[in-house]
Amino acid sequence: MATPIWNDKEGRWVLRVMKNGVAHKYTSKEPGIKGKKIVLAKSRASDLGINYNVTVGKEYERFLEDIRLRSSSEHYRSYEQYGRCYILPTISKRKLVSVTANEWQNILNTVRGMNGKPLAKKTLSNVRAIIVSFLLFASRDGLEVPSNLRLQVPKNAPTKKKEI
């Protein structure tokens, strides 16, 4: 296995390797041993087929396409709406592998409706289910996602009593 080299001119770790006749270059601007480990992790992830550059927004588009192909139009519409309104506004441009379990939980804790009021418990449980389903799709797609994800709907979420 090749070893990363610190490039003083560029100020980053560089690892160049040949895989199946194709040249690959992995870099990290993190100084010290931490940066070296990042470069080696990127190289190993490439061997396993993991892509570190996929954003949440791009992967969610692929997820919606999968939902559209295997579900009803109403089901697809609800997944698209929940993603557009509640999940994607805060993290769509972030890389999927960099989003932690606490950040996913924070979406549930802070999401608000169009009028600024807190969402109902049922809506929050639907958002939670969509996040879990999305992360399962991403892991099946070969992406690294939080493995110990135990999202919880906030206990103080308002519930609406219905008369029967």
Side-chain angles (χ1 to χ4, degrees):
M1 173 134 226
T3 305
I5 299 170
W6 179 257
N7 187 331
D8 284 328
K9 185 178 178 184
E10 296 177 2
R12 62 183 170 179
W13 287 98
V14 178
L15 175 63
R16 289 185 173 89
V17 292
M18 291 288 286
K19 293 179 185 174
N20 300 328
V22 179
H24 295 276
K25 179 180 173 183
Y26 305 100
T27 62
S28 172
K29 289 195 175 211
E30 184 75 34
I33 195 76
K34 187 175 180 183
K36 188 176 184 178
K37 287 181 179 178
I38 291 172
V39 171
L40 290 171
K42 285 181 180 179
S43 174
R44 280 193 297 276
S46 174
D47 291 343
L48 298 173
I50 299 171
N51 186 352
Y52 278 97
N53 296 322
V54 175
T55 62
V56 174
K58 290 289 183 192
E59 188 65 12
Y60 200 83
E61 286 176 16
R62 296 188 66 238
F63 172 64
L64 285 178
E65 184 61 26
D66 181 58
I67 293 293
R68 188 183 65 75
L69 292 174
R70 60 185 179 84
S71 301
S72 67
S73 61
E74 190 62 35
H75 193 221
Y76 166 80
R77 195 172 320 132
S78 68
Y79 272 59
E80 188 274 330
Q81 179 186 358
Y82 279 92
R84 179 175 36 86
C85 295
Y86 307 127
I87 301 168
L88 296 178
T90 54
I91 60 168
S92 68
K93 291 183 175 33
R94 298 268 315 273
K95 291 184 180 179
L96 183 60
V97 296
S98 70
V99 182
T100 64
N102 284 336
E103 290 171 309
W104 289 112
Q105 180 64 50
N106 194 38
I107 290 173
L108 285 175
N109 295 342
T110 59
V111 71
R112 298 274 185 230
M114 295 294 209
N115 54 6
K117 293 182 180 176
L119 296 177
K121 192 171 194 170
K122 177 64 176 167
T123 306
L124 287 174
S125 65
N126 288 341
V127 171
R128 180 198 169 280
I130 290 172
I131 290 173
V132 169
S133 179
F134 167 65
L135 292 175
L136 283 173
F137 172 81
S139 69
R140 282 194 315 258
D141 210 18
L143 298 171
E144 246 181 57
V145 295
S147 60
N148 56 349
L149 195 65
R150 289 183 177 85
L151 297 177
Q152 295 178 348
V153 174
K155 292 186 184 221
N156 61 351
T159 56
K160 193 172 189 178
K161 305 286 184 198
K162 291 188 178 181
E163 274 189 43
I164 300 174

